[in-house]
Amino acid sequence: MRNLTHLERLEAESIHIMREVVAEAEKPVMLYSVGKDSAVMLHLAKKAFYPSPPPFPLLHVDTTWKFKAMYDLREKSAEEAGMDLLIHQNPEAKERGVNPFDHGPLHTDMWKTEGLKQALDKYGFDAAFGGARRDEEKSRAKERVFSFRTATHGWNPKNQRPELWNLYNARKAKGESIRVFPLSNWTELDIWQYIHLENIEIVPLYYSAKRPTFEYEGGLFMADDIERIEKVLGHRPEITEKSIRFRTLGCFPLTGAVESEAATLPEIIQEMLLTTTSERQGRVIDKDGGDASMEKKKQEGYF
Amino acid sequence: MSDQDSSFQTDTLIAEDIDAYLEKHQHKTMLRFITCGSVDDGKSTLIGRLLYDAKMIFEDQLSALESDSKRVGTQGQDIDFALLVDGLAAEREQGITIDVAYRFFATENRKFIVADCPGHEQYTRNMVTGASTADLAVILIDARKGVLQQTRRHSYLCHLLGISNIVLAVNKMDLVDYDQATFDAIVEDYAAFAKEVGIDSFTAMPISGFKGDNITIAPSPNTPWYEGPALIQHLEAVEIANTAAQEGPFRMPVQWVNRPNLDYRGFSGQIASGSIKPGDTVRIVPAGKTSTIKSVTTFDGDLEEGIAGQSVTLTLADEVDCSRGDVISAADDPPEASDQFRATIVWMDETAMKPGRGYWLKLGSQMVTATVQQPEYEIDVNTLDHLAAKTLELNAIGVAEFATDRPITFEPYAKSRQLGGFILIDKFTNATVGAGMIDFSLRRAQNVHWQPTTINREDHASLKNQTPRVLWFTGLSGSGKSTIANEVEKQLALMNRHTFLLDGDNVRHGLNKDLGFTETDRIENIRRIGEVAKLMADAGLIVLTAFISPFRAERRMVRDMLPEGEFIEVFVDTPLEVAEARDVKGLYKKARSGELKNFTGIDSPYEAPEEPEIRVNTVDMTPVEAAEYIIRQILPLK
């Protein structure tokens, strides 16, 4: 007898979940944000259906404010996996020029929350894989693997189903949809270890390098598209070259960088294990509205 | 165990040799456990302590914790670990359903997933959910209070869900001065009823989640008399159920058929038990065909051997029928298949269980329609007494017989969680309403073989020169069902068709005279009518039934009994105002005055058909016109 390692068991569980969805849903899709969790999820999808390519497309709900390096990896990953890549940008947000500097929370709401709903409706997807994990935040600890949404994408906390053994109830009425989180039981450390072990390609921004940075409202940001930032801010911020990396990746003006020398995966994991602040701290999204903000976003339909 | 046996992560190794650390951590195993007890037992404090000691708590969380502890904590100036995990209390106030929260921590050797089920009201449902995936249970007892009724309940539920590793954590030892006699008395007390519940062995340990005694290192200086392991040491040492499953016979429920091209046909699934190698002979259950394993395919290359817990894709040497729902099994030791079995049920829905109603039953990758009988008994989770029961309400546990519309492959739950545990799904709300554990198959299913008759249903029908049909009229009382059905029968008789009309008069007074008008009785009423209609259709008749049959689930049940296309739902769509205004039998008047209870349309719902084959109404059509219309829809009937 041989003990499966924790990563082998997490992998087998995620694969089981993905196959259940493909067997029971009519039109599944994988939400792909190009972050490290998405990278792991995509890798698991390749494993789940091998030798077939994953039998669903990737959907990127784009805000137009992602890092350039993310756009580059997006195309490459989809092609390598043999999957269709769908990109949706909320036309209304585009028209109104919604951006993270002038519009704050509205930016996330319009581009991501509304954009996601539009995209799912447009293509008629009834199941969408997402890379959220239970360890990310207190309110996610009790999130189900299969999370049900009404026809208007509402999340009713009272209407979620108990999940026993490895049995998932994927039945739903017309118009209703499911968000499925195959990485529910993974922790941040598991994700990094798996990326290391499986040699999964991730956006280079996770690795430390000398990059142009500027400070804005107390945070350290990368000057990824300085012309555009200047246009929105009305002035050119002072740029300094620093050795930085990112612990999470979102829209570049919303994602804070950390100063770091960790340029390899073991160094990143080392830094993570010795660091003393939680992962989401670098993301501005959780800070407006305090503890309950993620819960609220979920009810509104942002993942 | 020695003092140097430090379980938790060592910063030195991380800092000095990260590669060695990673190498070590890639070989960790994983254990899932559940903690049982209320906040008063110090459960949250214990979990908070484990997370804290495992360094799962970051500085920003810790500083928030320190300020919270001072502000709202219950431990004075000390850190209140409970606040780390008690975020759920606030949610309860907001009315959010709290069931199971999953928490994660790791030591040098294992990753742990803790199922934490707070709350009292929904306790059974939550605990059962959390326990269903747990290898081990930590049952917490407050040393000051000893064994309580809830201890018995927790132990019973853990045992019911098949957890064989039970840890009795006698907590708050600091509050009883680490007194050995107190500990021993509690252990003795617990041993007595553990036996009663069916728990053969357990591990007892004196701890303090708050002070940290016997959590990572044992014995704590405060309990020199304790000779057992510390909690973490024990958690790291116990055998994992998943590993133990490798010893069982090979079983893999097929989830998905993998067909990238015409030359490859693979069967994907997660191995439930045993192991598999190329060349092994397997049997596809329930069909029973055998074949040989050609390969155990994965993205990382073909495996020499696949073992329990792995998700793989199998290819076979022969072209055999195999699809989702089938179980690929060891050829010489296949699991049972049956359509009747006895199971222990935990009811999880606000709406009580309905004996006789069809539910979706999901077991492994199989989905069938199942009807449940009236429970043999309900189990009082506090006393373990058997109570008489007609149904099961939310959080009730009972034992009942099940019948499925086709045989399912299963094993007794005691042998296999994956092939013995199932969920029940309401066909209309799609909610998961119950969980079941199969005790055994009722031999009846195997013994009562269909008597193969020489004259079959096709012969009956062809002798009558017609195609059998069941015209199922549904609608409110007074909608005109019987009048129209009667007219249809009259016209069919003129066409030399062989028919029979079932209505309240010839059914309620005989076959169903033992049934009243409660919801359960109404379901049974329709079930029997459905069975009779089916027999008559087998005899080649065109059957007409005229019953209110208000519930979609029952109409669906009858539809599922019959061959495809034979069931014709005729919705007599007369509005309530019209039917009530007619009130031929004076029943609406009685219902409105409260004299008549459970009257459809008044104080009992009518679930209108969503897609009936035929819809008629008696406002725009006369009964004769309606009957002619119906006959036009169902012709030629040959």
Side-chain angles (χ1 to χ4, degrees), chain B residues 374 390 504-529 532:
Chain B
Q374 189 170 303
K390 287 215 149 107
D505 287 343
N506 58 17
V507 170
R508 274 277 176 198
H509 295 150
L511 179 66
N512 287 354
K513 72 175 173 193
D514 58 327
L515 299 176
F517 287 89
T518 63
E519 212 171 323
T520 309
D521 280 358
R522 295 178 97 152
I523 293 168
E524 176 60 14
N525 181 43
I526 298 301
R527 191 191 68 81
R528 289 186 198 173
I529 293 163
V532 170

Side-chain angles (χ1 to χ4, degrees), chain B residues 564-636:
Chain B
E564 178 121 20
E566 208 158 280
F567 180 89
I568 311 281
E569 192 167 36
V570 183
F571 179 27
V572 184
D573 188 6
T574 303
L576 180 63
E577 314 83 71
V578 178
E580 189 169 355
R582 287 182 195 152
D583 206 6
V584 195
K585 299 174 190 162
L587 296 174
Y588 281 97
K589 214 171 174 182
K590 281 190 192 166
R592 288 284 182 204
S593 70
E595 203 181 318
L596 201 59
K597 290 277 178 220
N598 293 328
F599 194 78
T600 302
I602 307 298
D603 57 348
S604 182
Y606 177 77
E607 297 170 359
E610 277 165 348
E611 287 169 37
E613 275 78 8
I614 300 173
R615 184 191 294 264
V616 292
N617 72 66
T618 51
V619 180
D620 306 320
M621 300 178 186
T622 66
V624 175
E625 286 167 355
E628 283 166 352
Y629 175 74
I630 291 166
I631 288 170
R632 275 201 305 278
Q633 305 302 307
I634 60 172
L635 285 177

Side-chain angles (χ1 to χ4, degrees), chain A residues 17 21 120 126-130 132 134 139-140 142-150 153-163 168-172 176-182 184 295 297-299 301-303:
Chain A
I17 291 165
V21 172
L120 295 180
D126 65 337
F129 293 107
R134 283 174 175 148
S139 81
R140 277 191 176 159
K142 61 185 166 45
E143 178 64 274
R144 310 296 200 287
V145 175
F146 281 46
S147 183
F148 282 80
R149 305 303 154 101
T150 60
H153 301 285
W155 176 74
N156 179 357
K158 291 182 186 171
N159 208 14
Q160 301 297 318
R161 301 163 180 178
E163 289 174 343
Y168 300 98
N169 169 3
R171 298 194 73 87
K172 57 201 172 320
E176 290 175 349
S177 60
I178 333 171
R179 307 282 194 275
V180 183
F181 306 113
S184 286
E295 198 93 312
K297 289 198 160 63
K298 203 156 59 182
Q299 290 193 18
Y302 168 82
F303 231 85

